[in-house]
Each structure stands twice: as C-alpha cells, then as structure tokens.
Amino acid sequence: MKNIITQFSRIFVGILFIISGLIKLNDPIGFSYKLAEYFSEPVFNMPFFVPFALAIALFLVILEVVLGIMLLIGYKTKFTVWSLLLLIVMFTFLTFYSAYFNVVKDCGCFGDALKLTPWQSFTKDIVLLFFIIILYFNRKLIQPLFNNNVQNIVIYASIVLSSLLGVLVLNHLPLIDFRPFKVGNNIQKGMRIPDGAEKSVVEMVFIYKVGGVDKEFTEKDLMNIPEGAVFVDRKDKVITEGYVPPIHDFTMEKEGSDYKEEFLESPKVMLIVAYDLVHADEDGLAKMEKLHTDAKAKGYQVIGMTASSPEEIATAKKQFGMTFDFYFCDAITLKTIERANPSIVILDKGTILQKVHHNDLADLKL
C-alpha cells in the first residue's frame, strides 16, 4: 500500500509540475508580470527585484518542468524531492499571503489557461504539499526508470529544450494564446455583461482623521463619528465581486474622448501596441512608420495604443519619425493584449484577425 501511494504521488506531482511549468513557459512574460506584482510596494515591497522578474520567471518555470521530469524518471531522488518541497513551501506561503491579505488576485499558477482565486491556489498548494511530504518520507521507494546514461540524456535534453522554448516565445509570441484578446475573439463581445449576471456588492467607506489617526467608518457608523474628526477620503470596498467580463478597462482615449466605439465598428484597423514607449524595443519602433505607410496604402486605419504620457509620445514620434496618432489605454490591458513591445494587432469590426510580434512583420498579411 505504501508503495502504491508513493508511486501515485510521484506521478501526480510530476505531471502537475510539468503541466504548470509548460503553461507558464509558453508565456514567461505574463508570469513575470505576476512576480513583479508580488515584488511591488503594496505586497512585499521589494522593488529592487522587479528588473529581474523576467529572468526569475524563466528560471522558475524551467525548474518546474525539469523537476517534474526528474521526479517521474527517478533522477537524483533526494535532490529532486528536497527541491520540490522547498518550492511548494514557497508557493504555499505566497498563495496564502495573497489570499489572506487579498493583494494578488491571481497567482498565475497556470498562466491564463486556468484562472484560480487566491484561496483556490492556496488549496491546490496544500494538496501538492501533502503529496510531496509523502514523497519525502518514502523517497527510498522512488527508483530510477532508466540507467544513468539515459537519465542524464533525458534531463539535459529537457533543460535545453525548455530553454529553447523560452527563447522562442520571448522573441516571437506565445505558441498558444489563452488570453481574451486571442485571434478570432471579438472585443465588443468580450466586454459585454450578460443579462442577469451577478452584480458586485460595494460598501462605501469614509475615512476620517481622529486624534491624528486615520479611521474607517461605514455609512451605518456616520452618526458615531467623534466631534472634531476631519474628513480625509472616501473609497468603495467590494464585499462580493460580481461578474467581471473577460475584457474590461479597454479604452482608446485621446484628448479626453474615448474613440473605441468608432474604431471597433470599423473594418481594416491596425493597432500598433506599445504599452511603454520609453522601454519599447527601439528596432521594433523604427519599423513602425514604414508599416504605417504600407498599411495605409492598403486602406487600413493605423493607430498607436500606449499607456505612455503625451510628452513620451511626442518624444518617441520625433525620434522614430512616426506620423500616426497614439491613443491611451491602461498599461495592464495593453500587456494583456500583447506581450511584445511593440506589436501589431489587426482588427475587423472589433474581431482580432492577426497578432504579430515586431520581429515577425514578414508574417503580417495585409
């Protein structure tokens, strides 16, 4: 019985780590955004790690895949099980912290392929921790499947192939797009809230300074606010979150007006997405004006989409000779649309027809 439970744990943990790692390896930039969120000031306040978020993300996802394979084939069992135990303890702490303090809404454990709430993520990690502890106490029952030479070849091959996949998707686009802005999806449909959908329950909270300390009061408490308290701010506290459409916070703003209705009803629209013009790839930006000219000659409306300031837009347009207009959209939304900075999205009445990395302009069909 002990051997059966150990082998089941071995297969279950190994396969789950491989699947989780491969999904994130398909989109390491997306996982790096999640790590940057953990490193941000509201969570762990470690901003010095943010510039290394992508490198850390790549290392972790490759490690997940390789450790999963090592466990399945029984390679260096002691090292493998200890590594898995340390990883899952770290992940369990992160997911518990996210759930308890409600700071990171989605841990990104399975990328955009499967969204889990913080408490679901924590529960998943507790289950994994349980099976890894079983493996820890019964690691002598984990025997290698092949001889040493074959084991070494399998592990080295997995490291090389995982690394190559990481390089491939970083320089192009994810092989499989799980996001709401994938090719074939319609943006207007993604923004709609179905009839009868559950609505959010929101409570107004008023903040007053009482005796030099900020205190929160609900509407029910307003009659009990001490005399001499000074009003500071009002905020909305979400009690129960209702239905949130897959696409939200999508705008096409320019000079205080939102033009998304106009562009999303138009055929032949090219979006040049560069969420951050200051840190965008310069070689990519240098190609955009010629692309604009070629697309315009074929009847396309060409616009830029960015979260950069008007001053940054003016600087970039002057530096790279870009003559098309830029419209504002939230940076998080733009990062969700595309991982490359810049990249190209072709729309036809709001339906996404093509998405192309700036390294792959030759694949663009106009």
Side-chain angles (χ1 to χ4, degrees):
M1 178 62 77
K2 184 188 290 187
N3 187 55
I4 293 174
I5 294 173
T6 302
Q7 300 313 318
F8 172 81
S9 302
R10 172 185 185 174
I11 294 170
F12 176 76
V13 172
I15 290 176
L16 200 60
F17 263 76
I18 292 170
I19 292 173
S20 173
L22 286 176
I23 289 174
K24 293 195 287 288
L25 187 55
N26 173 68
D27 183 15
I29 293 179
F31 184 48
S32 74
Y33 293 154
K34 285 297 172 187
L35 291 181
E37 197 174 346
Y38 278 109
F39 296 145
S40 65
E41 185 177 345
V43 186
F44 290 119
N45 193 22
M46 296 188 294
F48 44 86
F49 277 126
V50 172
F52 308 104
L54 181 56
I56 296 171
L58 272 172
F59 172 76
L60 286 176
V61 297
I62 291 173
L63 183 63
E64 271 192 86
V65 173
V66 174
L67 284 176
I69 294 172
M70 289 170 68
L71 180 62
L72 287 181
I73 68 173
Y75 183 81
K76 295 188 182 299
T77 302
K78 185 177 180 180
F79 170 82
T80 300
V81 174
W82 264 108
S83 299
L84 289 168
L85 186 59
L86 290 173
L87 266 184
I88 199 60
V89 167
M90 180 185 73
F91 290 154
T92 303
F93 168 74
L94 290 177
T95 52
F96 172 77
Y97 191 93
S98 298
Y100 187 80
F101 293 101
N102 196 30
V103 286
V104 179
K105 304 296 184 182
D106 173 25
C107 71
C109 304
F110 294 99
D112 289 289
L114 178 62
K115 296 287 188 179
L116 299 177
T117 66
W119 283 116
Q120 287 172 338
S121 298
F122 174 67
T123 302
K124 180 263 300 177
D125 287 341
I126 288 294
V127 171
L128 274 173
L129 179 60
F130 170 76
F131 284 109
I132 292 173
I133 288 174
I134 290 175
L135 293 173
Y136 174 79
F137 286 108
N138 298 285
R139 54 189 182 276
K140 290 183 180 179
L141 297 176
I142 303 174
Q143 299 299 316
L145 296 184
F146 313 106
N147 63 49
N148 285 340
N149 289 335
V150 174
Q151 300 270 84
N152 288 331
I153 291 172
V154 171
I155 295 306
Y156 294 147
S158 68
I159 294 172
V160 171
L161 291 174
S162 297
S163 301
L164 289 175
L165 177 58
V167 171
L168 176 69
V169 296
L170 286 178
N171 287 282
H172 301 280
L173 291 178
L175 299 179
I176 303 174
D177 193 348
F178 295 105
R179 289 160 290 162
F181 292 95
K182 67 182 179 182
V183 172
N185 282 9
N186 182 273
I187 294 176
Q188 297 98 309
K189 288 182 180 179
M191 291 191 293
R192 288 177 192 154
I193 299 177
D195 294 336
E198 185 180 354
K199 295 183 179 179
S200 297
V201 177
V202 179
E203 180 182 56
M204 285 191 294
V205 176
F206 300 86
I207 302 172
Y208 281 81
K209 191 173 288 294
V210 181
V213 179
D214 288 350
K215 292 189 175 182
E216 295 185 353
F217 299 87
T218 64
E219 288 183 275
K220 297 177 182 178
D221 301 325
L222 292 180
M223 298 298 294
N224 300 321
I225 296 176
E227 196 173 327
V230 179
F231 175 76
V232 176
D233 195 7
R234 185 190 75 81
K235 64 181 182 179
D236 293 330
K237 182 179 180 181
V238 178
I239 306 300
T240 304
E241 191 170 89
Y243 176 82
V244 178
I247 297 177
H248 51 278
D249 296 333
F250 180 84
T251 62
M252 292 176 158
E253 294 179 3
K254 189 171 184 289
E255 297 175 351
S257 299
D258 193 346
Y259 295 88
K260 69 172 176 284
E261 298 298 332
E262 173 187 335
F263 286 117
L264 294 181
E265 290 298 330
S266 301
K268 302 185 77 170
V269 175
M270 174 184 286
L271 307 181
I272 296 175
V273 181
Y275 69 88
D276 183 348
L277 288 167
V278 174
H279 297 100
D281 185 277
E282 293 190 359
D283 290 336
L285 288 180
K287 303 171 186 175
M288 293 302 105
E289 181 56 27
K290 183 180 184 305
L291 178 62
H292 163 225
T293 303
D294 293 344
K296 192 175 179 181
K298 294 187 178 183
Y300 283 84
Q301 296 183 74
V302 181
I303 65 170
M305 297 280 288
T306 188
S308 298
S309 67
E311 294 76 19
E312 291 167 342
I313 292 172
T315 300
K317 290 180 72 171
K318 182 178 180 181
Q319 180 179 354
F320 297 100
M322 297 182 291
T323 58
F324 51 88
D325 290 330
F326 277 89
Y327 291 73
F328 177 83
C329 186
D330 180 72
I332 294 175
T333 301
L334 293 179
K335 289 177 181 180
T336 305
I337 293 173
E338 269 300 19
R339 297 311 193 200
N341 185 28
S343 59
I344 295 83
V345 179
I346 302 296
L347 301 179
D348 179 43
K349 296 185 178 180
T351 297
I352 300 170
L353 300 184
Q354 295 181 71
K355 295 171 73 175
V356 175
H357 192 287
H358 62 79
N359 287 334
D360 299 318
L361 296 183
D363 297 334
L364 193 62
K365 298 174 183 177
L366 299 178

